[in-house]
Amino acid sequence: QTGDAHDHDGTGATHGHGGGQGAMTLRAGGVAPDGSALEDVELDRRTCDCCPTAAAPVPGGVVLLYRDRTPGEIRDIYSVRLDDGGWSAPAPVARDDWHMPACPVNGPAVASHGSHVTAAWFTAAGGTPRVRLAFSVDGGRNWGTPLEVAAGDTLGRVAVVMDGPHTAVASWLGHADRQAEIRYRRVDRSGRLGPVRTLATTSPARSSGFPQMTLVDGTLLFAWTATGEPSRVRSARVPVP
């Protein structure tokens, strides 16, 4: 894989770049028990350079989300699916039409509950930073109309879990003066949004990374990086709202 790499915060300021020329590709492969590679499959020949990917199991396969990159620098979230027939063709989760000349370093999140799947992502299409979420009832083959989870004062860096086939909890970073807040809310497939809750303050710097969230025994477990000298990983466990 070769490609250029950029560090962009979605506000219009590019903080650095590096790498070779050409677009970054998305690839998949398998590994045998002895550690040898089984395959090397190109899933998409032009993708966003630095945005993390996300994958979740579904019956009979896996659904994979990533930020695509068109020749015209539209960087929306796409998905591919692995099943008995192999990998599907790339398809958009939603048409945000976000024109971004550099990688925003802000990848999607995905979670599954059987064949029900939830995707969460950041976009700044139209000049408004937003966190959006969409549900799928068929293992990621098709996606419903996106719901707006947060808008205006969000930095993205999303996480998502599903606590049932039709409900999810999404988390993200929001602006808080010169700091950032880890925020979260519950969403159901009908479009109902629960109240926004704040877990903790953190640094908005890239070094604070992406807060993580998972379900443990019916509660939400968060982990995030607290920057400093030295930096530390902090965690918190809270009830599902």
Side-chain angles (χ1 to χ4, degrees), residues 6-85:
H6 303 268
D7 185 358
H8 204 288
D9 61 8
T11 64
T14 301
H15 301 296
H17 65 277
Q21 297 181 352
M24 193 68 74
T25 63
L26 179 68
R27 312 185 77 88
V31 180
D34 63 1
S36 59
L38 297 178
E39 59 181 351
D40 181 357
V41 180
E42 183 181 275
L43 305 180
D44 193 315
R45 65 176 52 189
R46 186 180 179 89
T47 68
C48 210
D49 307 275
C50 310
C51 286
T53 60
V58 292
V62 175
V63 60
L64 171 64
L65 268 65
Y66 63 100
R67 190 175 296 281
D68 189 57
R69 177 188 178 189
T70 72
E73 302 293 12
I74 300 299
R75 301 191 187 232
D76 287 343
I77 302 303
Y78 273 57
S79 68
V80 290
R81 177 189 159 90
L82 175 65
D83 56 27
D84 291 340

Side-chain angles (χ1 to χ4, degrees), residues 104-151:
V105 197
N106 224 317
V110 64
S112 60
H113 190 283
S115 62
H116 296 257
V117 186
T118 302
W121 68 94
F122 172 83
T123 181
T128 300
R130 288 173 291 166
V131 171
R132 308 187 84 191
L133 185 146
F135 287 91
S136 170
V137 299
D138 57 4
R141 293 182 177 89
N142 298 280
W143 298 92
T145 301
L147 305 172
E148 193 162 290
V149 176

